[in-house]
Amino acid sequence: MLVHSKAINKLAPSDYAMIKREHKQLEKYLADLHDACACSLLPDYDAPDCANEQQTSCQGRMPSFLFHIIDLAGRHFDHEESIMLSRPKISENNDYFRVHRQAHLDIMKNLQGLADNYFSVTKKSNTAEVYRLFYGKIAGIFDEHDRQFDDPFIESTKQESID
């Protein structure tokens, strides 16, 4: 999301403040997820040495992380779509808007799938691996979305303000 943060400077001040605040929340979420399980921060060869109590604690916290990201992302996407629809020449029938909205729906489906599959994954892997896997997937989902959709949209708002 750091790539995206440079592009949002030209939005309306209130939109800029909201997007910046939400990106900070998402970045904090990712940092918290990354650091939540001490075992996941250890090299692979040390992870089995984590105390059973620590692994159980980490397992218990993962569902909260997964449902929290679903909530954060859903609110962020709603705000982002509202901002898009407030732009001149953008409506729900606009091809770019429809594709962007579909990307949001796909991300929400992927995040919900992560939450739904959590319990089957934890039976097959150790907790540290699950945290590393989910952190990588969630960070990758948002980075890819920024590159494909958010940055180009925000760049287009810069061009509109010049016209």
Side-chain angles (χ1 to χ4, degrees):
M1 290 211 244
L2 295 175
V3 174
H4 183 54
S5 64
K6 291 179 184 175
I8 64 177
N9 291 328
K10 297 293 182 180
L11 291 174
S14 60
D15 292 340
Y16 172 80
M18 180 177 18
I19 295 295
K20 187 171 181 173
R21 182 177 64 252
E22 289 174 351
H23 280 199
K24 282 186 179 185
Q25 287 175 331
L26 289 166
E27 288 168 7
K28 182 175 180 348
Y29 165 86
L30 285 171
D32 289 348
L33 176 62
H34 180 266
D35 297 339
C37 180
C39 299
S40 71
L41 301 175
L42 297 172
D44 287 335
Y45 55 84
D46 286 338
D49 294 336
C50 269
N52 190 41
E53 296 82 14
Q54 177 65 35
Q55 287 195 39
T56 301
S57 174
C58 292
Q59 285 174 342
R61 295 175 66 199
M62 180 58 82
S64 295
F65 274 103
L66 292 172
F67 290 111
H68 185 60
I69 192 58
I70 290 168
D71 180 56
L72 278 175
R75 283 187 283 126
H76 175 66
F77 293 155
D78 287 345
H79 292 152
E80 191 175 272
E81 289 172 15
S82 294
I83 291 168
M84 289 176 70
L85 289 172
S86 73
R87 304 300 304 170
K89 304 176 190 170
I90 302 289
S91 72
E92 291 194 20
N93 295 324
N94 177 276
D95 288 338
Y96 180 78
F97 178 81
R98 285 195 331 242
V99 170
H100 197 148
R101 177 179 270 171
Q102 185 60 52
H104 288 165
L105 294 172
D106 292 344
I107 289 171
M108 294 303 291
K109 183 178 176 182
N110 285 337
L111 293 174
Q112 188 63 51
L114 284 174
D116 291 345
N117 292 325
Y118 168 71
F119 293 104
S120 64
V121 171
T122 57
K123 293 175 187 171
K124 298 175 187 173
S125 303
N126 74 38
T127 304
E129 289 174 20
V130 171
Y131 268 83
R132 285 191 288 264
L133 173 75
F134 285 169
Y135 171 81
K137 283 187 176 191
I138 292 169
I141 286 169
F142 286 112
D143 287 344
E144 181 64 21
H145 181 73
D146 278 353
R147 279 190 296 280
Q148 284 187 336
F149 292 99
D150 291 350
D151 292 340
F153 167 70
I154 291 170
E155 286 298 320
S156 74
T157 67
K158 291 179 184 179
Q159 293 171 356
E160 287 175 10
S161 63
I162 294 171
D163 294 336

